[in-house]
Amino acid sequence: MMKISIKLGLWFFICIFIIETCSMIYLHRNVVHSLVNEELSSLKARGNSHRDVLEMSFDSTTLHHIGLMESQTDTEVVITNTDGKILETSKSIDDDIEKIISEAIEDIPRNGLILQSDLQEEKYIATVSSFDGGKENQGYVYMFKSKDQIHHFISQLNNHFILAALLILFFMFITIFFLSRALTKPLVSMKEATRKLSNGDFSVSLPVTSNDELGELSKSIQTLANDLNYLKKERNEFLASISHELRTPLTYIKGYADLGRRNDLDETERINYLNIIHEEADHVSVLLKELFELAKMDQNAFSISKERTNICLFLQSIFGKVLPAFKSKGIHLELNCKEAFFVEIDPIRFEQVFLNLLDNALKYSKENTTTSIEVLQENKNIIIFIKDQGKGIPYDDLPYIFDRLYRVDKSRSRLTGGYGLGLAIVKEIVEAHNGEISVDSQDGKGTCFKIVLKEQLNENRFTDR
Ligand SMILES: Nc1ncnc2c1ncn2[C@@H]1O[C@H](COP(=O)(O)OP(=O)(O)OP(=O)(O)O)[C@@H](O)[C@H]1O
Ligand SMILES: [Mg+2]
């Protein structure tokens, strides 16, 4: 498998290399082209100035002077008359020059004509100017420059270009090397993290370095890891609590069964033991039933069939059911629900919600206190408060009371004997209805549970008429 940083770097490299090559070639051609043009026009200008001199004074001394002058430069001159007879040269004439001057030429513009500009094919670049000194004194000034001279220039230029290209490639290589590593580093660490996750190691920590898409991705993976870690921890704690929860009644059952097996027992004692065994077995089966309910809720495998319910009538029937128990413990119970609020709930499930909450209020309150149920409307929401003046929940325990098997009183005494499942069930049901439940409590003073059922009043308005 090719590493992503190498792949990315290679692509960068290829793209930039192609761009660089193209622009280098383009630049090189342009420079060479304008160099040749420059040479040609200076050659032409030189020819023109010779022409001017010849037109002013045409004699052998001037011709000789011109020839002499050119022999000291890197250009050459050939002066002919109109018949093609050579009057003066600065250099011995070779075949290429011969060929050029022997060609017939017509219509030479005043500022000269370019005869040859091709550097590839020919040995010289050449221009011609015609002079007219009156009468017989007419002819042509041919100027030549050997392409070797220009090639020398070009090869120097090439050297510069090659050096520049190499430097650019070098810096490009370094830049790409670091850039592609910097870009792919978070990806690589995320790959590592997910590999760890899939191996069951949830203790990953990804630094959030940027707030672009990569940063988001890394944040999501981190959240996933944290969630998995939390779930794993929760599952372990849950299993530990369950086994503890089951061990206690099973110890009782085993102990009393041992006692009941003894021969020297009278019948009433045996029945007493059997009753205890029966009671404990009941405990276990209730516990298992509730756990099973919760498991079903967790998978969203339990169905809620919502019905339009008058919440006041609904609460009144529950009120009637629990009132005797409250009365016998000497707790005052009241229900405040004035208007006819309609809500969409599953009445069977919600009965369980209120029974669990009222059961807690009853269990954790002393006599001569008040427990109240209140229904309010706020915007489009219906809010139900269940408030008691019981022993309250310590601040440190508040975040956990909706957890499974969580109880403030860790001793799991038989007196207050719950499993710590009631509120977990309440929360699942309320949330399955798209509602929210929260708690407010002061240790020693009382507890208030608040259930918010959202967006209920739209339906009220339509169905009330
Ligand atoms: N109204 C309340 N007043 C004081 N403490 C409460 C109240 N409601 C709940 N708690 C505390 O929160 C814990 C969790 O409540 P929850 O209803 O889940 O469990 P439980 O009542 O102990 O057992 P279960 O309801 O399963 O029989 C309780 O053990 C109790 O300590
Ligand atoms: Mg309870």
Side-chain angles (χ1 to χ4, degrees), residues 180-192:
S180 58
R181 287 191 68 171
L183 278 180
T184 53
K185 205 175 150 229
L187 280 181
V188 172
S189 56
M190 278 186 251
K191 191 205 84 183
E192 267 309 298

Side-chain angles (χ1 to χ4, degrees), residues 429-447:
I429 295 176
V430 171
E431 284 179 355
H433 282 76
N434 239 340
E436 272 170 14
I437 180 159
S438 55
V439 63
D440 193 6
S441 183
Q442 267 185 314
D443 201 6
K445 292 217 169 128
T447 308

Side-chain angles (χ1 to χ4, degrees), residues 239-256:
L239 284 177
S241 321
I242 284 195
S243 57
H244 185 107
E245 220 43 73
L246 287 176
R247 205 160 34 223
T248 318
L250 287 179
T251 318
Y252 277 104
I253 291 175
K254 194 158 160 280
Y256 284 104

Side-chain angles (χ1 to χ4, degrees), residues 161-413:
F161 265 81
I162 289 169
L163 188 69
L166 286 180
L167 277 179
I168 292 177
L169 278 184
F170 176 70
F171 285 117
M172 186 171 92
F173 193 79
I174 290 179
T175 314
I176 286 175
F177 181 75
F178 286 109
L179 198 72
S180 58
R181 287 191 68 171
L183 278 180
T184 53
K185 205 175 150 229
L187 280 181
V188 172
S189 56
M190 278 186 251
K191 191 205 84 183
E192 267 309 298
T194 45
R195 199 184 52 78
K196 263 170 92 181
L197 283 185
S198 72
N199 286 344
D201 178 0
F202 303 132
S203 65
V204 301
S205 77
L206 288 168
V208 178
T209 45
S210 55
N211 51 8
D212 51 13
E213 288 90 337
L214 278 183
E216 299 259 294
L217 182 61
S218 140
K219 224 187 284 171
S220 320
I221 292 177
Q222 185 66 61
T223 320
L224 182 70
N226 293 348
D227 287 355
L228 285 174
N229 207 1
Y230 175 76
L231 282 179
K232 184 176 145 194
K233 224 175 79 196
E234 205 190 38
R235 191 189 58 194
N236 289 344
E237 278 169 11
F238 181 59
L239 284 177
S241 321
I242 284 195
S243 57
H244 185 107
E245 220 43 73
L246 287 176
R247 205 160 34 223
T248 318
L250 287 179
T251 318
Y252 277 104
I253 291 175
K254 194 158 160 280
Y256 284 104
D258 279 344
L259 284 179
R261 267 204 312 230
R262 277 175 19 198
N263 291 330
D264 54 342
L265 227 57
D266 64 39
E267 201 53 21
T268 47
E269 262 179 315
R270 198 189 304 276
I271 287 187
N272 190 14
Y273 293 157
L274 283 177
N275 278 342
I276 295 175
I277 290 173
H278 187 90
E279 214 172 275
E280 292 300 328
D282 262 355
H283 253 344
V284 175
S285 77
V286 170
L287 174 66
L288 289 183
K289 194 181 135 244
E290 293 200 338
L291 280 175
F292 188 63
E293 271 296 293
L294 264 174
K296 272 203 302 193
M297 288 182 196
D298 237 10
Q299 299 169 355
N300 286 330
F302 83 119
S303 60
I304 45 173
S305 48
K306 288 191 191 175
E307 270 170 39
R308 211 172 84 89
T309 315
N310 181 334
I311 189 76
C312 286
L313 291 181
F314 178 70
L315 284 172
Q316 251 155 34
S317 82
I318 294 175
F319 182 84
K321 269 186 209 167
V322 297
L323 192 60
F326 276 80
K327 264 199 177 135
S328 74
K329 203 178 165 185
I331 298 171
H332 184 62
L333 183 66
E334 56 186 43
L335 170 65
N336 289 322
C337 187
K338 292 175 195 86
E339 285 178 65
F341 296 122
F342 283 88
V343 288
E344 290 283 325
I345 53 171
D346 182 334
I348 297 174
R349 303 278 177 193
F350 249 81
E351 175 163 332
Q352 198 179 359
V353 168
F354 293 116
L355 287 181
N356 283 359
L357 291 175
L358 291 171
D359 175 53
N360 284 349
L362 178 67
K363 247 192 324 200
Y364 304 113
S365 298
K366 293 211 170 69
E367 55 191 329
N368 293 327
T369 57
T370 304
T371 295
S372 65
I373 310 166
E374 195 169 357
V375 185
L376 288 176
Q377 170 200 334
E378 193 184 87
N379 301 327
K380 287 176 182 171
N381 305 336
I382 294 289
I383 303 178
I384 303 154
F385 291 101
I386 290 166
K387 199 170 174 179
D388 65 47
Q389 297 173 336
K391 66 185 217 180
I393 303 166
Y395 186 77
D396 292 339
D397 292 296
L398 275 182
Y400 308 109
I401 56 161
F402 293 105
D403 288 356
R404 278 156 212 206
L405 300 175
Y406 190 87
R407 287 183 313 203
V408 174
D409 178 12
K410 303 287 187 305
S411 69
R412 293 156 214 266
S413 70

